[in-house]
Amino acid sequence: MSIQVGDRIPEAVLAYIDNGVHRIDTNTLFDDRKLLLFAVPGAFTPTCSERHLPGFVEQFEAFRSRGIEVACMAVNDPFVMQAWGSSQHVPTGLRMLADGNADFTRALGLEMDASGYGMGVRCKRFALYAEAGVVRGLWVEAPGEFRVSSAEHVLANLPG
């Protein structure tokens, strides 16, 4: 079963690069803040690189002006996420998170089998808004679609 609005964020460990590889548990990442986490099936893939991540880069300050931190996640390694972020000119503060073994993705119940594309287990395309570790908004895309998890749609539909 997938995570729902009102649920607490499950515990898992993600990785990112900032002067070396760092690990961060989801309690530390989500607690005591407003965080918008959007997830993509894979770094450097067409829709993710041409539309999804660029939308959040463009709207980054709109989220920040509302006191919301932004993070991007994919089932990739932290080196790929860092390289993708650099290639997309991700602003400082938009954290690029790696869920290398899909542990967090599975804990959320938002995994998909992309074996047909040679990609193995990946996360569905989604956006999740949490306050103090509790899900307040969740937008999960239907397979092959990109609408509800876009930065513009999320901004227009944030709760509160």
Side-chain angles (χ1 to χ4, degrees), residues 3 22 32 37 41 90-92 108:
I3 194 158
H22 299 273
D32 301 322
L37 173 72
V90 168
T92 301
L108 292 170

Side-chain angles (χ1 to χ4, degrees), residues 4 36 44 53 64 67 71 76 83 105 109 114 125 128 137 140 144 150 158:
Q4 302 291 317
L36 188 287
F44 292 105
L53 179 56
R64 296 289 288 231
N76 285 113
T105 297
R125 184 181 308 284
L128 181 153
V140 181
S150 71
L158 282 170

Side-chain angles (χ1 to χ4, degrees), residues 3-125:
I3 194 158
Q4 302 291 317
V5 172
D7 289 351
R8 181 124 184 94
I9 296 292
E11 290 187 46
V13 176
L14 301 170
Y16 65 96
I17 294 182
D18 182 14
N19 294 317
V21 177
H22 299 273
R23 296 169 52 86
I24 186 167
D25 65 86
T26 52
N27 287 337
T28 301
L29 181 65
F30 283 91
D31 283 355
D32 301 322
R33 68 182 41 93
K34 296 177 182 179
L35 179 70
L36 188 287
L37 173 72
F38 69 100
V40 299
F44 292 105
T45 57
T47 301
C48 306
S49 292
E50 295 166 11
R51 297 173 63 203
H52 207 175
L53 179 56
F56 281 94
V57 169
E58 290 169 14
Q59 298 297 326
F60 181 69
E61 289 304 324
F63 284 99
R64 296 289 288 231
S65 71
R66 295 174 80 165
I68 300 169
E69 295 182 34
V70 181
C72 175
M73 182 186 81
V75 178
N76 285 113
D77 66 68
F79 302 100
V80 167
M81 293 302 289
Q82 179 192 40
W84 187 42
S86 294
S87 75
Q88 293 285 316
H89 309 290
V90 168
T92 301
L94 196 162
R95 193 173 290 186
M96 301 297 288
L97 299 169
D99 186 18
N101 294 323
D103 294 335
F104 186 49
T105 297
R106 284 187 183 96
L108 292 170
L110 294 172
E111 72 274 10
M112 68 176 198
D113 183 1
S115 297
Y117 303 102
M119 297 169 66
V121 173
R122 296 296 176 120
C123 63
K124 294 178 180 179
R125 184 181 308 284

